[in-house]
Amino acid sequence: MTGNPFVEIAAILAVSTVLGVLGRVLKQPLIIMFLVAGILAGPSGFKIIESHEQIELLSQMGVALLLFIVGLKLDLKLIKTIGPVALATGLGQIVFTSVFGLIILLVLGLDLVSSAYAAVALTFSSTIIIVKLLSDKKEIDSLHGQIAIGFLIVQDIAAIIALVALTTLRIPAGKEISFWESAFFVFAKGMVFFLIVGLLMRYVLPWLTKKLAQSMELLTLFAIAWAVVLGAAGEYLGFSKEVGAFLAGFSLASTEFRDSIGARLTTLRDFLLLFFFIELGARLDVTLIGSGLALSILLSIFVLIGNPVIVMVIMGLMGYRRRTGFLSGLAVAQISEFSLIVISMGYAIGHISKETVGVVTFVGVVTIFFSTYMILYSNQLYKILSRPLKLFERKNPHRESAIDFKEEDKTFQVILVGLGNYGSGIAEELLHREMALLGVDFDPESLQKWRSKNIPVIYGDITDPEIHEQLPLDRTKWVVSSIRDRNLNSVLINLLKEKKFMGKVAVTASNKQDAEEYEKSGAHLVFRTFSDAAEQAADSLTYAMELLPKNIDWPIEFAEVRIRSDSSEAGKMIKNIPLRSKTGVSVLAVVRAGNIDFEVTSEKRVFPGDRLIIAGNPENLKEAEQILNRFDSSGYENEPFGFEIAEIEVSENSVVKGTTLAEFSFRQKFGATVVGILREEKKITKVNPDLKILAGDKLVVIGTSEALQKLKKI
């Protein structure tokens, strides 16, 4: 290359783009393709990279932003939940890997110092890669994701201690300072560092971010600067830039702007992390491996298998299910950038040879390569290994109690899968209608929120076949998924079919194609969240906004109230609704099906879906809204609206045989409606009034219980 950094970066980006496109075509993870791009650009490939300092700087910026975002999302309330298991698994895996790694290396003939360095390097797993993969899979907030992040942080702290120890070993010979004195000074500086950040977090940052939030561009710039400045401070004080950046994110995690900051920095983080993977691949110099190839492969197998096993053992003993232990354990199936830093410092001090550096670097690339696939296809791997993994699960995995309620024979109207924003909204509405509800989610924070309201919940991933064994499917009318992921909903529908679930299934679609796919798969009801919300928003804008005056010099306000389907006032005349007598609020207009009625008389009835434009004292509007939408439970004691659905078979002697639907007048004679016909193997869903009824047909009819009983006798 020319040695021109701009040209080199342009070439690297071009190679990465081509390989990225190739990876998408071959359905390979981008991380792997970026590592390959680094190998091709490095000394083992086309030797494109000459400006190592510039590439390394961009890499470090990406690492700092990644750890900043991790700290930004850290929830203090989860520390109590995952703290013990994170500490136990983090320290347990470090001890296991370092001790057994040292034994293996000594048996294979390495000297004690080289063996110690390599063993320590094998203990650290890559927080950067795991966070990226879990974020891409949307599992960062799951129980196993939170546990994995917890013990990776424990590892990072241990790695920092190791780096501090190595830093003290590099003290120039002329200085009269001992190892312990140096360590003490680093510790003291760290405490001062944390104290200063803590004070800023408590007294300055909330006020400052609120001021800066008046301009999102300025707030974003401040966040980047804060991450990099604290990263630099951590490096200067003898820790690392990773610790400083993580602390910067953590210091902003309690502000109300953390989600906005995180969302705006994600794209920049992903771009800069490209250079981290490029640099990692470029570090691999195959000429350094030489005779150590067999050792590198053996150590790679040890990391890929041994590290997850020890995590599963510890988590199993602590009472976690084998699936949680397995998915968490995969997070330690590789070595990290800290490993490469430790081994590089050992070489710089003169403790180890260049060949040892090559062996550990090769182990890093191999373990990152294979562990990436292991994590991306973790659910498929678990299905294959679930039986032998029973060895790692106690008979009573009490940490993940299957059901958080005592009424084991209780009947539920709805099992609601997914308690996020949309799911929580559905849950609130169902509870408002006094329906018996059981929630399912894998986010500990969401579960804790509903537990505090005494609502029964289950921890679980609905794609896990074992969770269905814990669900009271035989005592449930509906299973409802609020999740918009197509794969998850398809798996849910298929699993319920396998379990021969006799109730109904409702799923949530994010687009028309998904909705059609769910209907073909057998879903009884499909929620179209975006189109439904868009329709309601358009209605509000179209039918209400023009009615509301812009300026008025009087203590009066206007509001639009939609009559809910469960309102006790639905179907009543306005004169029979105690609105004006109790609140002094008046109904100015009623919007129904796009038509606005300004001449509202006391005899007018209001129905579900109507929008009432009301006016009155601001203090009374809220009370008026509560009156208009008081809950009426009478319609939910049995089936909704008192309707039933049944199949009525037409016999050879039936009076219906040979007539058309129009001729027999089902609705006029019986008050029932034919909505479909089962004719042999064919389902006729588009019922034409001129369709002739044949013997053997099964009429799918909706009507009241009395009407259906009469029809069954014909």
Side-chain angles (χ1 to χ4, degrees):
M1 266 289 168
T2 62
N4 185 322
F6 189 86
V7 175
E8 289 178 26
I9 291 175
I12 291 169
L13 291 176
V15 171
S16 301
T17 302
V18 172
L19 289 175
V21 172
L22 180 62
R24 296 287 290 179
V25 172
L26 299 176
K27 297 184 178 179
Q28 302 303 305
L30 287 178
I31 287 177
I32 299 300
M33 305 313 294
F34 295 156
L35 284 172
V36 172
I39 294 171
L40 292 177
S44 300
F46 301 116
K47 299 181 175 62
I48 297 174
I49 298 178
E50 293 182 10
S51 305
H52 294 280
E53 292 183 359
Q54 287 83 349
I55 301 297
E56 185 179 5
L57 176 61
L58 292 172
S59 168
Q60 292 174 353
M61 293 282 287
V63 170
L65 275 183
L66 177 69
L67 271 296
F68 173 78
I69 292 175
V70 171
L72 199 64
K73 294 183 177 181
L74 186 65
D75 193 337
L76 286 174
K77 291 180 287 186
L78 290 175
I79 293 178
K80 183 179 179 181
T81 305
I82 66 171
V85 66
L87 191 62
T89 49
L91 294 179
Q93 183 265 318
I94 288 172
V95 172
F96 169 83
T97 306
S98 57
V99 171
F100 282 89
L102 179 63
I103 293 171
I104 292 172
L105 289 161
L106 289 173
V107 169
L108 293 174
L110 263 71
D111 63 88
L112 179 61
V113 175
S114 296
S115 297
Y117 267 96
V120 170
L122 296 179
T123 62
F124 307 129
S125 304
S126 180
T127 304
I128 297 169
I129 294 173
I130 300 307
V131 170
K132 182 72 169 66
L133 290 172
L134 291 177
S135 297
D136 290 345
K137 291 186 70 180
K138 297 180 175 61
E139 294 179 0
I140 199 77
D141 294 322
S142 67
L143 179 61
H144 68 267
Q146 292 292 320
I147 292 173
I149 296 301
F151 62 63
L152 287 171
I153 291 172
V154 171
Q155 285 189 3
D156 289 347
I157 293 171
I160 291 161
I161 294 172
L163 292 176
V164 170
L166 288 174
T167 302
T168 59
L169 291 176
R170 301 179 68 176
I171 300 168
K175 294 216 174 179
E176 296 180 357
I177 183 171
S178 69
F179 171 86
W180 295 110
E181 288 174 325
S182 176
F184 171 77
F185 284 128
V186 172
F187 176 78
K189 286 188 289 185
M191 292 302 295
V192 173
F193 183 36
F194 294 147
L195 178 61
I196 292 173
V197 173
L199 291 173
L200 291 173
M201 180 180 173
R202 176 69 178 84
Y203 297 106
V204 178
L205 292 176
W207 169 82
L208 181 60
T209 52
K210 188 170 290 187
K211 290 292 184 183
L212 294 174
Q214 297 175 9
S215 168
M216 280 307 300
E217 290 80 5
L218 191 56
L219 181 63
T220 304
L221 177 61
F222 165 74
I224 296 172
W226 185 239
V228 175
V229 167
L230 283 199
E235 186 92 347
Y236 178 77
L237 292 172
F239 297 98
S240 70
K241 65 185 74 67
E242 289 83 5
V243 173
F246 174 81
L247 188 60
F250 177 73
S251 67
L252 295 178
S254 58
T255 68
E256 58 186 298
F257 308 105
R258 69 173 191 173
D259 292 330
S260 299
I261 294 171
R264 293 177 75 91
L265 292 183
T266 300
T267 303
L268 178 60
R269 174 205 66 185
D270 290 342
F271 172 71
L272 292 174
L273 278 178
L274 162 67
F275 295 96
F276 168 77
F277 296 113
I278 294 290
E279 186 193 14
L280 187 60
R283 282 175 179 267
L284 182 62
D285 188 346
V286 294
T287 61
L288 296 179
I289 300 172
S291 60
L293 180 60
L295 176 61
S296 299
I297 294 173
L298 180 61
L299 293 176
S300 298
I301 295 172
F302 172 66
V303 172
L304 288 167
I305 298 176
N307 284 356
V309 165
I310 189 60
V311 169
M312 285 188 284
V313 169
I314 295 171
M315 291 185 65
L317 291 174
M318 295 186 70
Y320 286 90
R321 293 173 57 209
R322 63 185 185 273
R323 185 174 186 272
T324 305
F326 176 74
L327 297 179
S328 300
L330 293 181
V332 293
Q334 83 292 119
I335 66 174
S336 77
E337 66 284 353
F338 280 126
S339 306
L340 303 178
I341 294 171
V342 167
I343 211 74
S344 298
M345 289 184 69
Y347 175 71
I349 296 171
H351 288 173
I352 59 175
S353 65
K354 207 171 186 181
E355 286 71 26
T356 305
V357 176
V359 167
V360 174
T361 304
F362 184 76
V363 171
V365 174
V366 170
T367 54
I368 289 171
F369 183 91
F370 284 102
S371 66
T372 298
Y373 285 102
M374 290 164 65
I375 294 170
L376 289 176
Y377 298 100
S378 57
N379 291 318
Q380 292 88 331
L381 269 177
Y382 178 74
K383 288 180 181 178
I384 297 171
L385 300 173
S386 62
R387 286 185 179 275
L389 288 177
K390 285 185 178 180
L391 178 66
F392 300 99
E393 184 176 279
R394 296 171 64 172
K395 289 184 179 180
N396 177 27
H398 62 276
R399 295 274 183 175
E400 296 181 62
S401 299
I403 302 180
D404 294 334
F405 58 91
K406 297 179 180 179
E407 305 93 334
E408 295 183 357
D409 59 345
K410 183 175 181 179
T411 297
F412 293 96
Q413 288 169 291
V414 176
I415 293 177
L416 178 60
V417 179
L419 296 171
N421 291 335
Y422 181 58
S424 293
I426 294 176
E428 294 283 4
E429 294 297 330
L430 293 176
L431 293 172
H432 180 72
R433 289 161 169 78
E434 299 179 359
M435 291 189 180
L437 171 70
L438 172 64
V440 182
D441 205 300
F442 59 44
D443 180 1
E445 186 176 356
S446 294
L447 296 181
Q448 187 57 43
K449 168 189 170 185
W450 290 101
R451 283 194 191 101
S452 65
K453 298 181 179 181
N454 295 319
I455 304 302
V457 291
I458 293 179
Y459 167 80
D461 185 344
I462 204 64
T463 61
D464 179 5
E466 294 174 18
I467 192 64
H468 293 257
E469 302 292 341
Q470 314 296 333
L471 295 174
L473 295 176
D474 59 331
R475 294 178 275 115
T476 301
K477 294 182 179 181
W478 280 84
V479 173
V480 178
S481 170
S482 68
I483 303 168
R484 289 189 285 268
D485 187 285
R486 181 173 182 176
N487 293 330
L488 292 180
N489 284 326
S490 297
V491 169
L492 172 62
I493 294 171
N494 292 331
L495 286 173
L496 290 173
K497 285 181 180 178
E498 291 176 12
K499 297 295 179 183
K500 295 181 170 42
F501 176 55
M502 301 303 293
K504 302 295 189 294
V505 182
V507 292
T508 304
S510 57
N511 54 58
K512 182 180 179 181
Q513 291 75 17
D514 288 355
E516 292 174 351
E517 186 66 31
Y518 297 151
E519 289 169 351
K520 290 178 183 177
S521 299
H524 299 89
L525 181 63
V526 178
F527 304 136
R528 296 167 174 82
T529 54
F530 295 116
S531 59
D532 293 346
E535 180 183 355
Q536 290 184 17
D539 285 347
S540 296
L541 287 171
T542 306
Y543 305 134
M545 295 302 291
E546 291 301 323
L547 297 175
L548 306 183
K550 294 180 176 59
N551 297 297
I552 188 167
D553 186 19
W554 190 259
I556 189 171
E557 286 187 4
F558 298 82
E560 176 193 358
V561 180
R562 182 178 181 274
I563 302 298
R564 297 162 56 105
S565 59
D566 58 1
S567 171
S568 61
E569 308 307 311
K572 290 185 178 181
M573 293 182 184
I574 289 178
K575 68 179 181 181
N576 295 327
I577 301 174
L579 194 64
R580 192 172 182 86
S581 60
K582 286 190 175 182
T583 66
V585 170
S586 303
V587 179
L588 300 184
V590 176
V591 182
R592 181 181 299 163
N595 298 313
I596 306 175
D597 184 4
F598 292 99
E599 298 179 4
V600 181
T601 66
S602 62
E603 303 292 324
K604 187 176 185 65
R605 293 184 184 272
V606 295
F607 296 100
D610 286 354
R611 288 181 169 82
L612 275 59
I613 308 302
I614 59 176
N617 190 297
E619 296 178 358
N620 298 330
L621 287 179
K622 190 66 177 178
E623 184 183 356
E625 184 177 352
Q626 292 173 350
I627 290 175
L628 288 170
N629 278 319
R630 286 183 294 196
F631 175 60
D632 178 13
S633 62
S634 60
Y636 295 92
E637 292 176 356
N638 299 302
E639 293 296 319
F641 311 113
F643 288 133
E644 293 182 5
I645 185 168
E647 291 180 7
I648 299 176
E649 187 169 357
V650 178
S651 66
E652 287 286 348
N653 301 322
S654 174
V655 295
V656 181
K657 175 189 170 184
T659 66
T660 65
L661 295 174
E663 290 171 346
F664 197 75
S665 304
F666 281 88
R667 190 169 183 82
Q668 289 80 357
K669 292 180 179 179
F670 295 95
T673 304
V674 178
V675 295
I677 298 176
L678 299 175
R679 180 170 292 169
E680 296 179 349
E681 299 297 322
K682 185 179 180 182
K683 292 182 179 180
I684 303 174
T685 57
K686 188 175 181 180
V687 183
N688 191 304
D690 297 326
L691 183 66
K692 186 169 288 189
I693 302 171
L694 307 179
D697 284 352
K698 291 182 180 179
L699 307 181
V700 182
V701 184
I702 293 179
T704 63
S705 178
E706 293 180 3
L708 295 184
Q709 290 300 322
K710 292 179 182 178
L711 273 172
K712 289 177 181 178
K713 297 177 181 179
I714 64 173

